[in-house]
Amino acid sequence: MPKFYLFYLIPFIVLVCTANSCQTQNGSTWFAIRDRENRSVFRLNDTLHLEISGSKAGRIADSAEWMINGEAIGKGLHLDLPALEMGLGGKKITTRVWQEEKEFETTAEVVILSDIEPAALAYEVINTYPHDTTAYTQGLFYKDGHLYESTGRKGESTLRLTTINGKVLRQATLPDDIFGEGACLLEDKIYQLSWKDKRGFIYNMNLEKTGEFAYPEPFDGWGLSTDGRYLILSDGSHLIRFLDPRDSMKVVRTIEVFDDEHPVKLLNELEYVNGILYANVYTKDYIVGIDPASGKVLLEIDLAGLLPDKAHYKGFDKYNYVLNGIAHDPSSGHFYLAGKKWPLLFEVRFSKAGAMAGR
């Protein structure tokens, strides 16, 4: 399947010393970190074979201590390090090197990719329903036969309860200066994000606002879901954060999302279903399924053409009115998929068939 991501370039580094910690004599570096196979990009099932190279005055280093992101992981001039122990993403490896009781420090960066190719899922459209074209969909979830939808844009942001057929039954309106983002339900409380305001809102099931919360770190709010214990938040990058609503929204852990080739950036609306975190990739008709423990991309669903061109109305902005909104009905196993200001809502079923099922 085609990859529809915007990536940063994975640096094929350069396992060398940093400018402030490396020392040179006669223009040559004394000590550096080197992989014995001269690699800097690895897969999660690889083992890194690292060593300290270089010398000073013709003498190699006496000893070394290894650290990853500041945490000690081993000692010696050689280190065999399973990538699995580091996890996915970019990692900074630091060594403190001693020679004749003098200490030197050198660093290197490596990238760990997933060790599996994502499975390609097909989709089948079960039904279509009308959708409010004034709703700039930012979040969507299903509960007891109804949909809860969070909408965005300043002056248009709402949280609404609707029927599957799109009828608005109840609505809460955000202040005009707030750009609404994702929303989810956890323990009979609805949590809704804002985009740039570094705060979110809490409602009861009647959409009555009962409180607010501050973001614990300076990130943007994009998508929001829950695994039944933590809130799971995306910020438009390849990072997913797990927040504890019982402890002042403390970030308890962060994962980096990678497939077997790249980091998957622009993660947007989220839906946690049976141990898989589904995510829209912003501006693309594309959904990925993520392992919430490791960040591996487990599956990919190409939804290009889900909204046919004939459904575009006058003023439809195909560059901004994109797929966004994933809700799961546990009773049927079906998903409801929406888009920003789309005229239609789609009830779909995913399958492992090799090609797209009939629409």
Side-chain angles (χ1 to χ4, degrees), residues 293-318:
S294 67
K296 290 183 189 182
V297 176
L298 302 175
L299 55 90
E300 302 170 330
I301 308 156
D302 182 358
L303 292 149
L306 176 65
L307 182 70
D309 289 346
K310 65 182 181 181
H312 295 182
Y313 51 86
K314 184 177 181 180
F316 184 88
D317 182 352
K318 65 179 181 180

Side-chain angles (χ1 to χ4, degrees), residues 9-15 39-41 109 111:
L9 293 177
I10 293 177
F12 282 82
I13 10 174
V14 177
L15 297 175
R39 295 184 297 170
S40 59
V41 178
E109 294 179 353
V111 175

